[in-house]
Amino acid sequence: MRVNAAADLVEAGVPVAEAARVLAGRFGCSVRQGRLLGIAAARAGRAEVPQDTVVFTVKLPAGLAGRVRTHARQAGLSISAVVTQALEEFLARGHRNHPRR
C-alpha cells in the first residue's frame, strides 16, 4: 500500500519532500501525490491492510447461531466480524485449555 511505503520512508527519517520524489518514482504518481502520501503517513502512520477473505462454512447448533446473530446485530457488526474476533481470541490463547476429544 502506498501509505505504508510512505510511512516506511518517514519512519526512516527521510524528509517528506525527498519521500515525495521517491514515491513518485516508485508508484508512477505525481510528486504532489507523493507529497500528500508523505504528509498522510507523517500524521497518521501506517494503514491497516485488510487480508483477503474466503468463504468458510461451518455447522453450528441453532441456539449458538442465534446468539451470534443477536450479538452481531446489537454490536452493529457483521456476523463475520464477530466470528473472526472470537476465533482470533480463541486461537491466541492456544490449545492448553482445550484438550482433544
Side-chain angles (χ1 to χ4, degrees):
M1 174 171 245
R2 292 178 181 196
V3 172
N4 288 341
D8 289 341
L9 294 169
V10 170
E11 289 170 3
V14 176
V16 172
E18 176 61 25
R21 288 188 290 276
V22 171
L23 293 166
R26 187 180 300 169
F27 296 112
C29 61
S30 68
V31 173
R32 181 177 183 276
Q33 181 64 37
R35 183 175 176 276
L36 293 174
L37 287 168
I39 291 169
R43 286 186 184 154
R46 302 184 155 286
E48 184 177 330
V49 179
Q51 296 182 25
D52 290 338
T53 59
V54 296
V55 175
F56 183 76
T57 304
V58 296
K59 292 184 179 187
L60 299 175
L64 177 59
R67 290 176 26 222
V68 171
R69 283 189 188 97
T70 299
H71 176 79
R73 190 176 330 103
Q74 290 173 345
L77 299 169
S78 67
I79 293 171
S80 292
V82 170
V83 173
T84 297
Q85 181 180 356
L87 287 172
E88 290 282 359
E89 291 173 6
F90 171 78
L91 293 173
R93 284 192 307 238
H95 299 288
R96 61 187 171 274
N97 296 328
H98 306 284
R100 287 189 166 180
R101 293 181 182 186

